[in-house]
Amino acid sequence: MLTPLSPTPELISALQNHETILVLGHKNPDGDSLGSQLALASMLRRLGKTVHLLSPGPFERHEIQHLGQQFSDQVPELDHPAGVLVVVVDCSTIDRIGHFADQLDDFTVAVIDHHASGAPFGDITWINTRAFSVTFMIHQLYAALDMTPTEEEAQLLFFGLVTDTGYFRHVLERRGEVFLTAAALVEAGASPKTAYDQMYGSRPFASKKLLGLLLSRCESYYDGKLLVTWETRAEHETFGEAIRDSESLYAQLLGTQGCEAVLYIREDQEKGCTVGLRSKDYIDVSRIAGSFSGGGHRRAAGFSYHGRREDIQQELIALFEDLVKG
Ligand SMILES: [Mn+2]
């Protein structure tokens, strides 16, 4: 078992020495971004800090909708901006924080992240690409500050951990520290059952209809090593973002015999689409996403594309021809 990389001394002293801290995460936030932000904010408030939670939103993913009201999409009025620390979590490129990117010049910026690709930014960085989630890193921060998570904080940290590991399905051999962290969080009061229900339960009936549609449309390439499906603009408008259950779709398709990679393209933007990439064993999809100015992890990545869905689909299918050979 490898010893996880500890929080940097620069980060620890920055957190200790600032009285006002803005905690910021990425747009279209997920359970890891929000769980990290909320647990960190709660921990810092217990240390007597004034904390503002900021998010560019939108809070569209089903599993995080209940958390949205705790965040503001505007930088608050501050008396002494020079003495304010901004902590950005779960972002590997500055454009992930949306409109906030242009508003941070006056502040000291610290970044806590675990993405393998991207363009690091900020004055103080703590980046551990082996961390399962940013909440896994925040949990280490508690130890470094001689604190233990409250029940509520433990639930938030656990939520981020299971979000980014696909409820531990993406964890590889000799990475047992994920379960040590999980055990510590459950002992501190996190409920795996509650987290599971938030992530996978209580989906609207229409989400199953959309899932069925995307599964039946799916096309198979290169002896089934690459599976490709897409959502049209009309479907996006009919079903809406909240209905989408990408994780179930990816789990179903990656579970197909012989499948190494999945491509899921959504016509969800004014003049373009969002491309989601997943792989099972050997293709590094973060590199593909990176070459289109996107990002992510080796087995899960994505990017935005300005142009026709059919064009990027053909380009990517061609690109995978060599990659699927391994
Ligand atoms: Mn993450």
Side-chain angles (χ1 to χ4, degrees):
M1 211 178 301
L2 287 166
T3 309
L5 287 168
S6 317
T8 59
E10 293 78 13
L11 177 67
I12 302 280
S13 51
L15 292 173
Q16 285 168 335
N17 297 334
H18 288 82
E19 293 313 311
T20 302
I21 302 175
L22 313 184
V23 180
L24 186 47
H26 60 74
K27 53 189 176 190
N28 193 14
D30 62 3
D32 187 33
S33 182
L34 297 184
S36 300
Q37 285 182 265
L38 289 165
L40 182 61
S42 173
M43 170 217 252
L44 293 170
R45 283 174 182 147
R46 286 204 281 138
L47 290 171
K49 311 291 180 184
T50 301
V51 182
H52 298 272
L53 280 163
L54 306 179
S55 173
F59 296 87
E60 285 177 333
R61 295 179 202 237
H62 171 82
E63 72 275 15
I64 54 93
Q65 281 174 351
H66 64 290
L67 299 171
Q69 72 279 7
Q70 301 181 60
F71 296 82
S72 167
D73 62 1
Q74 296 299 324
V75 174
E77 292 280 330
L78 296 159
D79 293 339
H80 305 288
V84 173
L85 176 70
V86 178
V87 182
V88 181
V89 300
D90 207 27
C91 293
S92 58
T93 54
I94 196 160
D95 63 297
R96 295 285 287 140
I97 56 176
H99 64 277
F100 290 110
D102 307 327
Q103 300 173 39
L104 303 185
D105 292 347
D106 296 339
F107 309 117
T108 301
V109 177
V111 175
I112 306 177
D113 186 37
H114 69 131
H115 290 87
S117 60
F121 62 99
D123 308 301
I124 299 163
T125 53
W126 176 32
I127 298 168
N128 179 359
T129 60
R130 281 182 61 82
F132 301 93
S133 63
V134 172
T135 61
F136 179 85
M137 300 172 73
I138 303 289
H139 184 244
Q140 295 178 283
L141 201 52
Y142 280 82
L145 291 166
D146 222 1
M147 295 173 76
T148 45
T150 63
E151 197 172 303
E152 200 185 334
E153 289 161 7
Q155 189 71 44
L156 292 163
L157 295 172
F158 189 87
F159 188 54
L161 190 62
V162 295
T163 295
D164 276 21
T165 59
Y167 226 96
F168 305 112
R169 283 171 303 156
H170 310 314
V171 177
L172 298 175
E173 66 278 5
R174 281 180 275 283
R175 298 303 316 277
E177 67 265 34
V178 73
F179 296 107
L180 296 180
T181 300
L185 294 174
V186 173
E187 282 306 303
S191 160
K193 182 180 190 304
T194 301
Y196 189 89
D197 288 345
Q198 283 169 342
M199 281 183 71
Y200 303 108
S202 316
R203 292 273 173 179
F205 181 61
S207 74
K208 309 301 173 189
K209 291 291 185 189
L210 177 61
L211 184 60
L213 213 125
L214 297 172
L215 287 173
S216 35
R217 176 173 299 149
C218 185
E219 292 176 353
S220 167
Y221 295 87
Y222 314 123
D223 298 326
K225 291 193 180 76
L226 173 67
L227 298 178
V228 180
T229 193
W230 65 92
E231 192 177 315
T232 65
R233 184 166 318 278
E235 286 156 3
H236 179 72
E237 276 158 21
T238 308
F239 287 99
E241 190 80 16
I243 295 300
R244 194 155 55 77
D245 185 4
S246 308
E247 284 320 303
S248 295
L249 176 72
Y250 288 127
Q252 284 294 325
L253 294 178
L254 285 170
T256 309
Q257 188 174 32
C259 174
E260 165 59 19
V262 172
L263 185 53
Y264 170 31
I265 311 178
R266 304 185 293 280
E267 296 176 0
D268 59 357
Q269 294 171 37
E270 197 62 37
K271 287 193 171 86
C273 38
T274 302
V275 178
L277 300 150
R278 293 292 182 277
S279 66
K280 204 170 158 205
D281 291 319
Y282 55 86
I283 296 177
D284 182 354
V285 289
S286 71
R287 290 184 61 170
I288 303 171
S291 68
F292 290 93
S293 306
H297 305 277
R298 291 167 61 82
R299 303 286 169 255
F303 64 92
S304 294
Y305 177 76
H306 296 279
R308 279 163 23 104
R309 194 253 316 153
E310 292 86 344
D311 296 338
I312 187 64
Q313 189 162 325
Q314 284 316 310
E315 187 175 344
L316 286 167
I317 290 167
L319 197 72
F320 269 95
E321 184 168 9
D322 285 333
L323 297 173
V324 294
K325 289 173 188 158

